């Protein structure tokens, strides 16, 4: 399977570097380049890539707003967004996830880790760097001004699904959830899929945000 990627960054040299990396690696295809967020959204609509690699600070429409537009478009439900930036700012990470991004990496990430991240995001299997994003989400959701309770959505899931949701928020993969609950990986995957359907989440990143914002998982707990 070839992972089709759109690159969104206002620096042509950065885009060129990413393109060379991806085009020299089997299983990847760059189907478009954007210099700003508006172009990124347009290319996502035109090419329907598997992943958009999205910078945050771009002229005009920034990466966060572009991510919101892509994830809010029902016709782009299969398009994942991987935020990649030089700005190691906690709030950017949280806002990127809240906007619907499936992962967040810094531009100084090793090439092999970027390729792995793209594969993970394209597969929709796991949240990237769970120990980092878990800390960030806990910190920002714990602030009263950032807390938005989605209790209604959480009441739609069963007790077992709440248990699974809490484990997803803990950064566990399907295999790890299965081992923890002594169930099969297929059953764990089914639970996660049903939870996402019930609460309207597009990926595991949104499940993590939901778990914290609903109070199911307590920041620092």
């Amino acid at each position: 399977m070839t992972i089709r990627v759109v690159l969104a960054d206002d620096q042509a040299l950065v885009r060129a570097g990413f393109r060379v990396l991806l085009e020299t690696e089997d299983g990847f295809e760059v189907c478009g380049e954007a210099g700003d967020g508006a172009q990124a959204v347009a290319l996502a609509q035109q090419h329907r890539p598997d992943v958009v690699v999205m910078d945050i600070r771009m002229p005009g429409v920034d990466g966060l707003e572009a991510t919101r537009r892509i994830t809010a478009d029902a016709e782009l439900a299969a398009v994942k967004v991987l935020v990649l930036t030089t700005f190691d700012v906690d709030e950017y990470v949280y806002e990127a996830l809240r906007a619907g991004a499936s992962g967040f990496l810094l531009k100084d990430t090793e090439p092999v880790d970027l390729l792995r991240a793209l594969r993970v995001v394209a597969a929709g299997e796991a949240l990237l760097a769970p120990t980092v994003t878990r800390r960030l989400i806990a910190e920002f959701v714990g602030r009263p001004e950032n807390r938005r309770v989605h209790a209604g959505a959480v009441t739609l899931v069963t007790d077992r699904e709440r248990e699974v949701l809490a484990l997803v928020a803990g950064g566990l993969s399907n295999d790890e959830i299965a081992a923890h609950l002594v169930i099969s990986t297929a059953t764990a995957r089914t639970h996660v899929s049903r939870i996402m359907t019930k609460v309207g989440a597009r990926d595991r990143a949104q499940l993590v945000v939901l778990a914290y914002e609903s109070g199911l998982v307590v920041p620092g707990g």
Side-chain angles (χ1 to χ4, degrees), residues 52 60 65 73 78 84 93 102 117 123 137 165 214:
V52 176
E65 177 59 27
D73 189 335
L84 192 65
V93 180
S102 296
I137 293 170
L165 177 56
S214 67

Side-chain angles (χ1 to χ4, degrees), residues 4-5 13-14 20 35 54 69 84 88 97 99 106 116 124 140 158 160 162 173 179 202 209 212 220:
R4 302 174 66 250
V5 180
L13 187 60
V14 172
V20 170
M54 187 80 74
R69 294 183 186 181
L84 192 65
D88 186 10
L97 293 175
L106 297 179
R116 184 183 302 115
F140 282 94
T158 66
R160 174 58 108 179
R162 283 191 183 87
S173 66
R202 55 184 280 131
V209 174
Y212 279 104

Side-chain angles (χ1 to χ4, degrees), residues 165-184:
L165 177 56
L167 294 174
V168 170
L172 274 65
S173 66
N174 288 339
D175 287 340
E176 292 167 334
I177 291 172
H180 185 86
L181 298 178
V182 195
I183 57 178
S184 70

